Amino acid sequence: MRNTILFTVLLFFVISAKAQQIQLSGIITDKAGGAGLIGANVQIKTAKDANTIAIVSTDIDGKFLITDIPAGTYEITASYVGYESYIKTIELGINP
């Protein structure tokens, strides 16, 4: 039986006057116990052409922060050894 990652993303939008740059932060936890997963990998890629924007690892509490992301549509992947990867498409800084 594979473990499952609960991917909690808190989106904080920081817009500068010169360019729209966004910060993405969140917490990667074990779905069953809710404990933060230390060293889980979080990757953000453009949805259109799959170019990698950033890859970061979570801290001791399972938290991560990715900065300087241009507005757009992205695929976020959270992965951890022994767990099933979590993949989600999100839109950042795009007005409907």
Side-chain angles (χ1 to χ4, degrees), residues 24-39:
L24 174 67
S25 63
I27 303 170
I28 308 300
T29 60
D30 178 276
K31 189 173 183 177
L37 297 176
I38 302 167

Side-chain angles (χ1 to χ4, degrees), residues 1 3 5 12 19 32 40 46 52 64 66 80 82 84 96:
M1 185 165 122
N3 294 315
I5 293 174
F12 295 100
T46 56
T52 298
F64 70 91
I66 302 172
Y80 193 76
E84 183 177 339

Side-chain angles (χ1 to χ4, degrees), residues 13-67:
F13 299 102
V14 178
I15 301 171
S16 71
K18 294 182 181 179
Q20 284 191 334
Q21 296 296 312
I22 299 162
Q23 292 184 349
L24 174 67
S25 63
I27 303 170
I28 308 300
T29 60
D30 178 276
K31 189 173 183 177
L37 297 176
I38 302 167
N41 291 315
V42 180
Q43 179 179 27
I44 182 169
K45 298 187 297 186
T46 56
K48 183 177 180 179
D49 52 16
N51 286 331
T52 298
I53 301 300
I55 301 172
V56 299
S57 294
T58 57
D59 66 11
I60 194 166
D61 298 315
K63 296 178 184 178
F64 70 91
L65 173 65
I66 302 172
T67 60

